[in-house]
Amino acid sequence: MDDRLYPKAQLEEDLEAIKKMDIPYAMKIEKGNALMYLYYNQNDKTIIDPFSIADFRENILR
Protein backbone atom coordinates (compact mmCIF):
# COMPACT_ATOMS: atom_id res chain seq x y z
CA MET A 1 0.00 0.00 0.00
CA ASP A 2 1.23 3.46 -0.90
CA ASP A 3 0.80 5.49 2.29
CA ARG A 4 2.62 8.68 1.36
CA LEU A 5 -0.48 10.83 1.91
CA TYR A 6 -1.19 9.46 5.40
CA PRO A 7 1.74 7.34 6.63
CA LYS A 8 1.17 4.43 9.00
CA ALA A 9 3.49 6.01 11.59
CA GLN A 10 1.25 9.10 11.62
CA LEU A 11 -1.86 6.93 11.94
CA GLU A 12 -0.36 5.19 14.96
CA GLU A 13 0.47 8.53 16.59
CA ASP A 14 -3.05 9.77 15.94
CA LEU A 15 -4.58 6.63 17.45
CA GLU A 16 -2.44 7.10 20.56
CA ALA A 17 -3.62 10.71 20.79
CA ILE A 18 -7.23 9.52 20.66
CA LYS A 19 -6.57 7.00 23.45
CA LYS A 20 -5.38 9.86 25.67
CA MET A 21 -8.39 12.09 24.97
CA ASP A 22 -10.84 12.70 27.79
CA ILE A 23 -13.91 11.67 25.82
CA PRO A 24 -16.35 8.74 26.08
CA TYR A 25 -15.08 5.36 24.92
CA ALA A 26 -17.68 5.16 22.12
CA MET A 27 -16.41 8.45 20.71
CA LYS A 28 -12.83 7.17 20.80
CA ILE A 29 -13.91 4.16 18.75
CA GLU A 30 -15.74 6.39 16.28
CA LYS A 31 -12.72 8.67 15.84
CA GLY A 32 -10.38 5.68 15.48
CA ASN A 33 -12.62 4.14 12.85
CA ALA A 34 -12.71 7.43 10.94
CA LEU A 35 -8.90 7.60 10.92
CA MET A 36 -8.64 3.98 9.79
CA TYR A 37 -11.09 4.76 6.96
CA LEU A 38 -8.86 7.63 5.85
CA TYR A 39 -5.77 5.45 6.03
CA TYR A 40 -7.16 2.50 4.08
CA ASN A 41 -8.87 4.63 1.42
CA GLN A 42 -6.21 7.30 0.94
CA ASN A 43 -5.33 6.08 -2.55
CA ASP A 44 -8.91 5.82 -3.81
CA LYS A 45 -9.64 9.24 -5.29
CA THR A 46 -13.30 8.33 -5.82
CA ILE A 47 -13.74 8.07 -2.04
CA ILE A 48 -11.32 10.64 -0.58
CA ASP A 49 -9.86 13.72 -2.20
CA PRO A 50 -6.09 13.47 -1.57
CA PHE A 51 -5.88 17.18 -0.82
CA SER A 52 -8.46 16.94 1.97
CA ILE A 53 -6.89 14.11 4.01
CA ALA A 54 -5.05 16.53 6.30
CA ASP A 55 -8.24 18.53 6.91
CA PHE A 56 -10.26 15.41 7.71
CA ARG A 57 -7.54 14.17 10.04
CA GLU A 58 -7.37 17.51 11.82
CA ASN A 59 -11.14 17.60 12.34
CA ILE A 60 -11.24 14.04 13.64
CA LEU A 61 -8.51 14.79 16.20
CA ARG A 62 -10.38 17.77 17.67
Side-chain angles (χ1 to χ4, degrees):
M1 172 192 266
D2 179 16
D3 68 351
R4 285 181 284 163
L5 299 173
Y6 188 27
K8 186 172 184 167
Q10 184 64 55
L11 170 66
E12 291 171 356
E13 285 179 32
D14 293 345
L15 292 173
E16 283 301 315
I18 289 173
K19 286 180 186 178
K20 295 175 184 176
M21 288 181 176
D22 187 25
I23 57 175
Y25 183 72
M27 190 174 281
K28 289 180 183 184
I29 291 173
E30 190 174 325
K31 286 178 176 284
N33 287 341
L35 289 175
M36 294 298 290
Y37 183 83
L38 279 178
Y39 178 75
Y40 284 112
N41 292 296
Q42 65 183 306
N43 296 314
D44 190 344
K45 293 176 180 149
T46 60
I47 297 176
I48 298 174
D49 178 22
F51 297 107
S52 62
I53 289 176
D55 293 333
F56 286 138
R57 186 184 146 266
E58 208 172 282
N59 286 330
I60 293 167
L61 291 172
R62 282 191 203 162

